[in-house]
C-alpha cells in the first residue's frame, strides 16, 4: 500500500525559475504565478554583474506537486527546473 512509503519531509521540492535583474519583471512574474495559485518567493543575490533577484516557486511537499506546478507555469510561458530543497 502507499502507506508503506516513508513520508517525505514537507517542503522537499522547489521549482527554480531564474535570476532577474529587473524588479518590475519579478513583480509581474510573481503576480502571474499567484493567479495560478503557485506560491513564489524571491531573494536578493549579489553577483559580479550587480544585484539580482532569484525567484523560486514552492516549496512543494512532493515531486509530483512540483511537476504539476511546473506544468501550470509552462502553460503561461514560464519555464523552471525542479530541484530538491537543500
Amino acid at each position: 500500500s502507499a502507506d508503506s512509503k516513508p513520508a517525505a519531509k514537507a517542503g522537499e521540492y522547489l521549482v527554480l525559475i531564474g535570476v532577474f535583474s529587473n524588479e518590475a519583471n519579478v513583480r509581474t512574474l510573481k503576480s502571474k504565478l499567484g493567479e495560478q495559485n503557485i506560491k513564489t518567493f524571491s531573494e536578493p543575490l549579489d553577483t559580479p554583474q550587480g544585484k539580482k533577484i532569484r525567484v523560486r516557486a514552492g516549496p512543494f511537499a512532493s515531486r509530483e506537486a512540483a511537476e504539476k506546478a511546473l506544468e501550470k507555469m509552462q502553460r503561461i510561458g514560464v519555464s523552471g527546473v525542479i530541484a530538491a530543497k537543500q
Side-chain angles (χ1 to χ4, degrees):
S1 80
D3 298 339
S4 59
K5 279 210 310 256
K9 291 191 297 299
E12 196 109 50
Y13 292 91
L14 300 170
V15 178
L16 313 180
I17 298 170
V19 175
F20 301 86
S21 49
N22 185 323
E23 212 167 312
N25 291 352
V26 171
R27 279 198 295 271
T28 302
L29 177 65
K30 290 176 83 170
S31 71
K32 267 168 64 168
L33 293 172
E35 285 164 19
Q36 303 294 315
N37 291 319
I38 296 169
K39 278 207 304 272
T40 55
F41 61 100
S42 53
E43 53 197 1
L45 201 61
D46 283 313
T47 78
Q49 291 78 41
K51 280 211 184 308
K52 308 267 182 166
I53 305 155
R54 177 191 280 143
V55 181
R56 296 167 170 175
F60 301 98
S62 67
R63 190 172 187 94
E64 289 79 12
E67 281 165 4
K68 281 204 187 83
L70 182 55
E71 275 170 29
K72 267 193 197 173
M73 285 162 54
Q74 287 168 338
R75 266 183 244 140
I76 60 166
V78 178
S79 57
V81 177
I82 295 172
K85 201 170 173 193
Q86 299 308 311

